[in-house]
């Protein structure tokens, strides 16, 4: 759920400006899943732009406190959300941990890096939500280690129905600074795309797994 329309539009515009989100309807990307997509999102680029990363950090922190108060710990999902999660934790003066997709096969064999005690409250930070499976995998790891997960905040979501179902099934509350609808509206109004490209982007969003350019 997007909490603030102005934040959603501004976040979308900033991501477009720095090419964290690229739109190429005529020359689509191929995702790791094999899906063809006219959009590619890499929010790690935000870290290279101090003014923008500070804006994102402060907006996530503000919404987090408004929603949940201050938790005991902030958790980032590896690898994309480690940087922004740590910035949010630092801004709020809170401990930070991060969660790997799976436990390491060597050393201490940790999946969770950092100090986490049983029954501590945690808010999870993500950079991007697609299907939500990797994000919810991190939540499950935290719960198995005794954390009380209050919810998740992310920078951007494609808003796929499958991700909404996945979060609902796991009873995890998700909020994002922006989403796909705000993105294409902002891209159109700021002339990042043409009208025919907008049509393509809407068509893809309606059925991404079977879409062909």
């Amino acid at each position: 759920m997007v909490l603030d329309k102005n934040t959603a539009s501004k976040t979308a515009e900033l991501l477009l400006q720095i090419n964290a989100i690229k739109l190429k309807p005529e020359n689509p990307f191929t995702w790791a899943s094999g899906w063809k997509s006219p959009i590619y999102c890499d929010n790690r680029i935000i870290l290279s732009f101090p003014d923008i990363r500070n804006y994102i950090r402060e907006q996530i922190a503000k919404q987090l406190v408004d929603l949940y108060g201050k938790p005991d710990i902030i958790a980032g999902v590896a690898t994309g959300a480690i940087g922004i999660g740590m910035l949010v934790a630092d801004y709020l003066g809170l401990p930070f941990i991060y969660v790997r997709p799976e436990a390491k096969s060597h050393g201490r064999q940790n999946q969770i890096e950092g100090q986490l005690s049983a029954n501590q409250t945690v808010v999870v930070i993500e950079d991007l939500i697609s299907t939500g499976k990797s994000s919810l995998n991190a939540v499950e790891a935290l719960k198995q280690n005794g954390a009380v997960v209050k919810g998740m905040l992310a920078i951007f979501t494609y808003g796929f129905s499958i991700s909404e179902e996945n979060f609902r099934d796991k009873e995890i509350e998700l909020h994002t600074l922006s989403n796909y609808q705000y993105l294409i509206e902002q891209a159109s109004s700021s002339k990042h795309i043409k009208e025919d490209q907008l049509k393509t982007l809407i068509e893809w969003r309606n059925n991404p797994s079977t879409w062909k350019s």
Side-chain angles (χ1 to χ4, degrees), residues 80-154:
I82 292 177
I84 194 65
M86 187 171 64
L87 288 169
V88 171
D90 185 64
Y91 185 77
L92 294 173
L94 293 173
F96 176 73
I97 59 177
Y98 69 87
V99 188
R100 300 176 183 274
E102 57 188 17
K104 292 192 299 183
S105 59
H106 60 281
R108 296 168 61 196
Q109 299 182 331
N110 291 340
Q111 183 172 6
I112 298 172
E113 297 290 357
Q115 184 65 43
L116 173 67
S117 300
N119 298 317
Q120 286 189 301
T121 57
V122 179
V123 173
V124 183
I125 306 298
E126 258 288 24
D127 65 324
L128 173 67
I129 304 292
S130 52
T131 65
K133 288 184 178 180
S134 60
S135 307
L136 290 167
N137 178 61
V139 169
E140 185 61 27
L142 289 164
K143 287 184 173 182
Q144 288 178 359
N145 281 269
V148 178
V149 179
K150 302 188 78 174
M152 182 180 297
L153 281 91

Side-chain angles (χ1 to χ4, degrees), residues 170-181:
K170 297 296 184 180
E171 299 182 336
I172 296 298
E173 190 174 283
L174 171 67
H175 296 275
T176 64
L177 295 189
S178 193
N179 62 23
Y180 191 78
Q181 185 60 44

Side-chain angles (χ1 to χ4, degrees), residues 27-48:
N27 187 23
F29 304 92
T30 301
W31 287 2
S33 63
W35 288 7
K36 295 292 184 180
S37 171
I39 177 174
Y40 191 82
C41 181
D42 182 3
N43 287 332
R44 288 168 290 194
I45 293 173
I46 291 168
L47 301 175
S48 297

